[in-house]
Amino acid sequence: MAHPMSKATRHVSINEGLIFEKSAPGKRGMELPPLDVPSVDAAQALGREFSREAVEGFPEVSEIEVIRHFTRLSTWNYAIDLGMYPLGSCTMKYNPRVNEFVARLEGLATEHPLQPAELSQGCLRILRVLERFLLELTGMDAITLQPCAGAQGEYAGIAMIHAYLASRGNPRKKVLVPDSAHGTNPATAVTAGYQVLNIRSDSTGRIDLSHLAEYVSDDVAALMVTNPNTLGIFEQDIARAAELLHARGALLYMDGANMNALAGVARPGDFGVDVMHMNLHKTFSTPHGGGGPGAGPVAVKKPLEPFLPLPVLAEKPDGTLAWDSNRPQSIGRLRAFYGNFGVLVRALAYALAYGPGMIEATRDAVLNANYIRKKLEDVYDLPYAQPCMHEVVFSDARQKKHGVSTMDIAKRLIDYGFHPYTTAFPLIVPGALMIEPTESESRQELDLFVEAMRSIAAEAAETPELVKTAPHSARIGRLDEVGAARKPILRWTP
Amino acid sequence: MYPTDYKYSQEHEWVALAGQTATIGITDYAQHALGDVVFVELPKPGAKFSAGQTLGTVESVKAVSEIYCPVSLEVTEVNAALANAPEKINQDPHGAAWLVKGHATNPAELSKLMDAAAYQAFIAEKEKEAQA
Amino acid sequence: MRYLPKSDAERRAILAELGLDSMDQLFASIPEACRLKRPLEVPGPLSEKEIIDYFRARAAENAAGYTSFLGAGVYNHLRSVVADALIQRGEFLTSYTPYQAEISQGTLQAIFEFQTLMCQLTGQEVANASMYDGSTATAEAAMMAVRLTGRRRLVVSRALHPEYRQVVDTYADHLGLEVAEVPFDAATGQTDLAAARAALNDATAAVVLQSPNFLGVLEAVPHFSELAHGPGALLVVAVAEAVALGAVRPPAEADIVAMEAQSLGLAPSFGGPFAGVIATREKFVRQMPGRLAGQTTDGAGRRGFVLTLATREQHIRREKATSNICTNQALCALAVTMHLALLGKEGLREMAAQNLAKARYAVAEFERLPGVRRAFSAPFFNEAALEFPRSVRMINQELLREKIIGPLPLGPFFPEQTKRGLLCVTEVHSRQDVDRLVAATRRALESLGAGARVAVSSPTER
């Protein structure tokens, strides 16, 4: 029995080889203005030992070939501009185009980081306003915009905790992480030199407070939480958890990946968080661009301010802004210059578009996730009965009876015109389907998604093989990842 | 399936002792759990390990497993064929895909390992737990 | 709100289906004590026009209208509008990390092309799909050498970009690694080979150089490679000005190259986002951090690309992970790929040649000013340290009045390098720009020579 597939239809997709395969000597895509000073022979100017003729193997193609090459490649990608990405904890929301426009403005895109501070007040003001916005949003006291991604932010956060505790005599040895945590959390803790202990989740999907109480000691530096957690469930006892930690001199770190459920509704600084990072490429709409660039600001409470990475943005008595590198307790510089300024511009543009109205986005995000939950809970197993916030986690338990796994369902979703949701995470739910629609989805797109998921559930029961061998309509079938890892081919050779 | 003259560890390694020379590999259960093996990281000859120490890793596309030394050992030989053909571990884990050979420095440790029957019972128990 | 595709009627209808009366009830699971009970006190909301006006106003408070001769890790080069148009295609801009290969072949093939271009540029065998930037790539390359050799000491050239060095120091400090510094030769500006030899020992994991270095001069990479390998250390070479590789021999003898690709099609953008790259020998690939796209086939034998060797990454390896890194700078790397495809073999060669010519023209013109000379004798690409008879800071103050941002004073970075400034000239500078700079400098020197003037403000806050 054929099930409805309203969103997608097959279409002719143009093939395209590698750019090197289209190359021919003498073709050029870009021409330079003529040289207006005496020309110089490279070998003479640099000496034979230092000079080079040209880069062997570099492509030689014309402008139109470059346009066609990359345009064709782009048509092979799914993207937010085409439809919903239900990826859990990725917050795949609309990337506003005005953000792209302002980031490219002459006077912003053109600025050199080492130019005089008096000629950079516009850039510094942008950073200052964004800092203030994020501090108000999170209820924290001080912030760094320097980290380039969530993982770098996490590292900075844990490094600051280490430095803070060391300054009080003992950096301690352990960090507690819930068993539902994302992989970067324990990896970061270990990179910073801590031993990781796992805290159980209870039957409601939340941190087991008694287990936490057992483990908190004078040797614990921090607990790393995500709130709402990776099941999309708000950790209701988080204030109590903070108390338990603070009583023993430990700190509460929050992974802010799920801020899309809290913006304007609750502030981590108000419920006991000491250090947190945010992902601006999630909550603040900066584009994923196929995997980056991002930005991972880290906000802290006052006691940790001295440890912020260098340099710190400061306001001078005359009201102008400047970088302060005279910070003896800083954890150091994490990267050259000031962070991903272009990404920060986009984040501020997004923030200003909403203003205090950001809470409406949060409401719609939670509304959408609950709508999907309601429409699918009769066909997919829901492991936790707790109310969910901006994301919902199902499991493949019912479909497994027919031999169909979450990965198979995800691949079949491709045929229906959607990107897969997050499969097999969090680890505490075997065969998980982690779905986060974000606020950017209309009723129509949500209904198309629900229709697709319901169709696939039916297919899993009636024609499991069809699901297990999906996708069928993509340009390419499932790829041999084993071969790619055994004998890696990582570059083109002539 | 599981050679009766081998001994087995709880971490799914096998040992075959001939005189003072021990040959070590991972079991069929282990290779099956891993899936297609893409890479093996092995020590160099001369390296010494005590029982329980990590002597290398086996990688599939999505996971890495440590290889724990089942008996204290000084490595004399490493299976060079696995560098270019790690899939041998999936094909013949108990034979051609041995990992290292070495001088067993404390042969008495062998008594702590399981024989084939005990190992088979051990993994049967593990499968039952997984279904539960 | 224009970004929210729902009407109030639709919201009410959905709430009704959920059995709820108000949006607020969606947050019932959050304890009262945790709730924010007031609106956010933040600016906005702004319409599209107001947003543009806001940022235009900020842009007007910067250096638009000034001609800058700064380099020092961020370079002004020509970029094509073609690449900018392509990079804004929604399928590139708004797509996710290519974990689902079947619907990400565009991104994956482009990454494969990027990896290839980086290998060709650097003379190395494999390259990754980008790191955050050149400074973190350098630090990660040093950490890679530590993992590969099992040793815990780094020998770092003083001529490495000071901010790159600070990042290396941060990582090294947190990991308890020893860092020994090697001076540069006061005459040539190159890292002192003899001093490096003295600093090397059996505990050294890597020697870390930059070429062209922070002072603009080229380093003798093959000699340092041989030197490092003696006691079993590796050579890490950082490249901050990638256009140099269009005319300068690549660091093929290095074991690991850590490059900043900003020069190849990315706007200066006040320091980011950029694209770092690590390129190395094939035998080291499993210790290399960052994403990798590999070529493979599907069931029907069609060529395709996938992210591969994922077991190096943090989400699987945890404490043995090659690094903490998750995100790369994908869109930036894509922009670089497009830029290089447009420039091509001949275009990059020509661009590099123009840089050589213009920088030499500028240096020659400067050396006609009394008391001005190039400070270091080794070959340079497009950046040179010039010595002046007066404080560079004060000269620059005068230049600012003529809307020129002059050479970067070196004193704040190297205390003994007083009255020296780093001048960068690229293909974007016209002959008139250079002539204007030199004439303005002449005037500045004359007015400064004619009686000392107290500086009223410091142009650069360092």
Side-chain angles (χ1 to χ4, degrees):
Chain A
M1 174 184 157
H3 292 280
M5 191 186 270
S6 307
K7 191 183 171 198
T9 305
R10 297 186 84 125
H11 178 63
V12 172
S13 167
I14 314 271
N15 291 335
E16 179 71 8
L18 293 165
I19 192 80
F20 310 97
E21 291 163 343
K22 318 170 72 74
S23 174
K27 288 197 281 191
R28 279 190 69 156
M30 186 176 161
E31 281 147 350
L32 305 180
L35 189 59
D36 57 1
V37 298
S39 82
V40 148
D41 176 59
Q44 264 182 12
L46 301 171
R48 279 254 105 80
E49 66 176 296
F50 283 117
S51 70
R52 175 186 214 171
E53 267 303 309
V55 182
E56 268 317 300
F58 246 41
E60 297 182 81
V61 291
S62 63
E63 182 174 324
I64 171 117
E65 289 170 294
V66 173
I67 287 274
R68 287 211 174 128
H69 178 74
F70 290 102
T71 302
R72 288 170 180 171
L73 255 49
S74 78
T75 63
W76 303 348
N77 278 358
Y78 190 77
I80 295 175
D81 282 3
L82 286 168
M84 176 172 145
Y85 269 83
L87 290 166
S89 274
C90 288
T91 312
M92 300 296 288
K93 64 172 71 183
Y94 170 56
N95 307 133
R97 283 317 191 275
V98 67
N99 302 0
E100 295 307 305
F101 184 85
V102 298
R104 286 169 165 78
L105 285 173
E106 183 97 9
L108 291 183
T110 44
E111 305 312 281
H112 193 290
L114 300 177
Q115 71 196 21
E118 72 221 42
L119 293 180
S120 311
Q121 291 298 304
C123 293
L124 300 177
R125 181 70 43 199
I126 286 168
L127 297 177
R128 182 52 143 208
V129 173
L130 180 62
E131 285 185 345
R132 287 229 164 89
F133 196 107
L134 295 176
L135 288 175
E136 165 66 357
L137 192 77
T138 56
M140 307 295 278
D141 300 326
I143 190 167
T144 174
L145 300 176
Q146 202 185 99
C148 298
Q152 211 189 27
E154 261 180 56
Y155 178 76
I158 296 297
M160 281 193 270
I161 288 174
H162 189 278
Y164 167 77
L165 292 171
S167 77
R168 295 165 79 83
N170 174 15
R172 308 186 177 200
K173 294 206 173 46
K174 299 177 186 147
V175 163
L176 308 177
V177 172
D179 55 11
S180 56
H182 189 279
T184 52
N185 295 168
T188 303
V190 167
T191 315
Y194 284 109
Q195 184 200 349
V196 170
L197 296 178
N198 282 303
I199 301 292
R200 275 192 314 262
S201 301
D202 63 20
S203 61
T204 68
R206 296 190 293 256
I207 292 175
D208 182 336
L209 213 60
S210 60
H211 198 206
L212 175 66
E214 225 180 280
Y215 273 23
V216 175
S217 71
D218 293 346
D219 210 22
V220 166
L223 167 69
M224 295 176 84
V225 288
T226 310
N227 194 18
N229 62 28
T230 54
L231 296 166
I233 295 170
F234 190 84
E235 293 281 0
Q236 294 176 317
D237 294 321
I238 188 146
R240 178 80 193 110
E243 276 169 27
L244 282 172
L245 291 158
H246 294 155
R248 301 300 288 270
L251 290 94
L252 181 58
Y253 180 92
M254 185 174 119
D255 178 331
N258 288 338
M259 270 304 288
N260 214 45
L262 299 183
V265 170
R267 307 194 316 167
D270 294 341
F271 50 71
V273 170
D274 302 297
V275 188
M276 66 174 286
H277 82 268
M278 273 159 286
N279 303 73
L280 299 187
H281 44 291
K282 296 184 180 189
T283 322
F284 277 73
S285 87
T286 71
H288 279 83
V298 182
V300 299
K301 286 285 173 66
K302 203 111 189 78
L304 284 105
E305 188 179 2
F307 306 96
L308 287 171
L310 297 173
V312 171
L313 190 57
E315 196 158 320
K316 289 163 53 177
D318 64 2
T320 60
L321 295 163
W323 292 110
D324 177 14
S325 288
N326 183 16
R327 318 237 344 153
Q329 291 186 293
S330 165
I331 56 169
R333 176 183 277 285
L334 296 176
R335 61 153 283 171
F337 316 120
Y338 317 125
N340 283 344
F341 179 75
V343 175
L344 301 171
V345 167
R346 290 167 171 86
L348 181 60
Y350 172 83
L352 292 175
Y354 273 106
M358 199 173 273
I359 189 172
E360 295 171 49
T362 309
R363 288 179 178 142
D364 273 4
V366 176
L367 182 71
N368 286 353
N370 278 276
Y371 180 67
I372 288 177
R373 175 187 169 136
K374 183 92 184 135
K375 298 296 237 182
L376 293 179
E377 62 188 359
D378 61 320
V379 288
Y380 287 95
D381 172 58
L382 197 62
Y384 293 95
Q386 266 54 42
C388 66
M389 300 204 66
H390 68 313
E391 63 191 358
V392 56
V393 177
F394 294 100
S395 92
D396 62 7
R398 295 187 208 182
Q399 290 70 31
K400 261 316 215 189
K401 296 190 181 117
H402 308 283
V404 171
S405 72
T406 175
M407 175 63 86
D408 300 325
I409 299 165
K411 292 294 187 189
R412 181 61 178 149
L413 199 53
I414 292 173
D415 292 329
Y416 281 79
F418 286 95
H419 189 280
Y421 48 74
T422 302
T423 57
F425 182 82
L427 298 171
I428 54 169
V429 174
L433 290 73
M434 190 191 191
I435 295 167
E436 179 190 357
T438 84
E439 71 276 14
S440 300
E441 300 312 322
S442 67
R443 173 98 193 232
Q444 287 87 340
E445 189 78 2
L446 292 173
D447 285 339
L448 285 170
F449 177 72
V450 165
E451 176 195 88
M453 291 295 287
R454 295 186 73 87
S455 279
I456 298 170
E459 286 173 351
E462 295 160 20
T463 49
E465 273 316 298
L466 184 66
V467 184
K468 283 157 73 170
T469 51
H472 304 287
S473 311
R475 282 187 56 81
I476 203 153
R478 295 201 201 188
L479 288 153
D480 177 15
E481 297 189 28
V482 173
R486 276 187 188 153
K487 304 243 182 287
I489 302 171
L490 303 171
R491 58 164 294 177
W492 169 82
T493 39
Chain B
M1 154 68 69
Y2 290 98
T4 48
D5 53 335
Y6 288 6
K7 291 286 211 163
Y8 302 85
S9 72
Q10 297 209 329
E11 285 79 30
H12 310 289
E13 286 90 17
W14 56 261
V15 189
L17 195 65
Q20 286 255 286
T21 305
T23 306
I24 291 169
I26 64 168
T27 67
D28 182 66
Y29 178 88
Q31 72 77 16
H32 185 79
L34 265 172
D36 293 297
V37 176
V38 301
F39 185 71
V40 189
E41 196 184 335
L42 295 172
K44 291 195 173 55
K48 295 192 178 90
F49 300 95
S50 27
Q53 269 194 312
T54 303
L55 65 78
T57 59
V58 186
E59 283 183 37
S60 64
V61 171
K62 297 267 190 275
V64 184
S65 265
E66 321 243 76
I67 307 164
Y68 299 101
C69 199
V71 292
S72 302
L73 189 77
E74 183 176 336
V75 178
T76 52
E77 209 187 325
V78 160
N79 192 343
L82 297 177
N84 281 326
E87 59 271 20
K88 277 198 185 351
I89 293 184
N90 299 112
Q91 293 155 359
D92 191 7
H94 300 153
W98 57 271
L99 301 174
V100 298
K101 287 193 202 296
H103 175 76
T105 49
N106 188 356
E109 287 166 337
L110 228 65
S111 59
K112 297 201 193 114
L113 302 174
M114 295 176 269
D115 63 17
Y119 182 66
Q120 283 179 167
F122 173 68
I123 55 182
E125 193 55 45
K126 276 215 169 302
E127 312 236 278
K128 259 182 37 194
E129 278 170 26
Q131 315 290 29
Chain C
M1 204 285 170
R2 58 194 177 283
Y3 301 159
L4 298 176
K6 283 211 190 50
S7 66
D8 282 341
E10 284 175 318
R11 290 186 181 103
R12 281 195 299 275
I14 295 177
L15 283 172
E17 276 198 62
L18 296 176
L20 300 173
D21 297 312
S22 72
M23 296 290 269
D24 213 56
Q25 286 176 350
L26 290 164
F27 298 92
S29 62
I30 300 184
E32 264 307 296
C34 293
R35 296 284 301 264
L36 180 64
K37 297 173 183 62
R38 59 167 175 76
L40 289 169
E41 283 157 21
V42 290
L46 298 184
S47 64
E48 180 184 292
K49 174 174 190 312
E50 289 167 306
I51 291 172
I52 293 173
D53 287 346
Y54 177 86
F55 283 95
R56 278 205 210 277
R58 300 291 77 74
E61 293 161 358
N62 293 326
Y66 281 70
T67 308
S68 167
F69 289 89
L70 292 173
V74 177
Y75 301 92
N76 254 319
H77 286 290
L78 289 174
R79 295 187 311 279
S80 167
V81 300
V82 172
D84 201 43
L86 287 166
I87 205 78
Q88 293 192 71
R89 286 187 66 85
E91 300 95 325
F92 283 136
L93 185 74
T94 74
S95 65
Y96 185 63
T97 311
Y99 291 127
Q100 297 292 346
E102 297 90 340
I103 45 175
S104 317
Q105 286 299 295
T107 296
L108 286 162
Q109 180 169 322
I111 294 176
F112 186 79
E113 292 176 358
F114 175 83
Q115 287 167 191
T116 305
L117 292 165
M118 295 302 107
C119 289
Q120 292 168 333
L121 257 184
T122 60
Q124 295 288 327
E125 292 168 343
V126 296
N128 67 7
S130 82
M131 315 288 298
Y132 302 136
D133 76 329
S135 69
T136 52
T138 304
E140 291 277 355
M143 299 308 114
M144 192 176 145
V146 164
R147 281 193 303 275
L148 283 166
T149 58
R151 302 174 179 187
R152 303 186 61 74
R153 184 169 179 271
L154 300 170
V155 169
V156 180
S157 166
R158 191 171 179 240
L160 178 68
H161 192 300
E163 299 204 5
Y164 282 36
R165 171 65 186 282
Q166 283 183 301
V167 176
V168 171
D169 284 346
T170 301
Y171 278 59
D173 189 57
H174 293 180
L175 287 169
L177 303 175
E178 190 194 328
V179 178
E181 182 181 272
V182 172
F184 52 83
D185 182 281
T188 64
Q190 291 171 312
T191 304
D192 187 326
L193 192 66
R197 182 174 292 116
L200 262 182
N201 62 22
D202 289 340
T204 309
V207 173
V208 183
L209 291 182
Q210 177 184 325
S211 186
N213 68 23
F214 185 70
L215 305 169
V217 305
L218 304 178
E219 299 279 15
V221 170
H223 296 161
F224 281 92
S225 172
E226 212 183 299
L227 182 70
H229 293 160
L234 299 177
L235 178 63
V236 171
V237 173
V239 178
E241 169 47 305
V243 171
L245 296 176
V248 175
R249 217 173 141 276
E253 298 84 3
D255 297 291
I256 310 169
V257 174
M259 187 163 78
E260 171 58 73
Q262 176 268 324
S263 291
L264 304 172
L266 302 176
S269 198
F270 205 54
F274 294 157
V277 184
I278 289 189
T280 187
R281 303 168 186 292
E282 208 166 314
K283 62 183 178 183
F284 298 144
V285 73
R286 283 172 200 274
Q287 283 304 320
M288 182 169 76
R291 296 206 177 111
L292 283 170
Q295 183 177 306
T296 184
T297 49
D298 74 349
R302 291 177 285 217
R303 177 176 71 184
F305 302 92
V306 283
L307 290 178
T308 191
L309 300 188
T311 47
R312 296 160 305 123
E313 294 180 57
Q314 44 72 27
H315 59 283
I316 295 176
R317 274 278 185 160
R318 300 205 159 195
E319 73 265 25
K320 297 225 176 93
T322 50
S323 103
N324 183 38
I325 282 203
C326 200
T327 311
N328 64 334
Q329 304 276 110
L331 198 66
C332 299
L334 181 60
V336 169
T337 309
M338 293 167 170
H339 178 78
L340 290 177
L342 283 164
L343 256 189
K345 185 172 181 179
E346 183 49 30
L348 181 63
R349 193 206 58 76
E350 186 186 345
M351 182 179 274
Q354 288 207 4
N355 276 252
L356 284 172
K358 297 210 187 208
R360 274 150 189 74
Y361 172 76
V363 169
E365 290 299 298
F366 263 109
E367 286 188 325
R368 300 201 302 149
L369 298 178
V372 178
R373 60 174 200 94
R374 191 158 85 88
F376 303 113
S377 60
F380 65 101
F381 176 62
N382 63 4
E383 245 180 321
L386 295 172
E387 183 171 291
F388 297 87
R390 292 286 176 272
S391 143
V392 181
R393 200 166 276 194
M394 297 188 68
I395 294 170
N396 282 344
Q397 254 184 276
E398 301 298 313
L399 294 180
L400 283 177
R401 289 176 215 273
E402 306 202 33
K403 296 202 146 188
I404 297 173
I405 302 173
L408 183 73
L410 284 175
F413 303 103
F414 305 107
E416 80 284 2
Q417 302 290 328
T418 50
K419 300 208 183 71
R420 289 177 173 189
L422 200 58
L423 172 79
C424 179
V425 183
T426 75
E427 78 286 355
V428 307
H429 297 109
S430 68
R431 183 190 191 122
Q432 289 88 307
D433 289 333
V434 175
D435 290 343
R436 202 165 75 82
L437 166 68
V438 175
T441 306
R442 179 189 293 277
R443 281 193 292 280
L445 286 174
E446 281 163 8
S447 77
L448 288 170
R453 239 200 284 174
V454 178
V456 255
S457 69
S458 291
T460 348
E461 208 72 33
R462 302 298 310 181

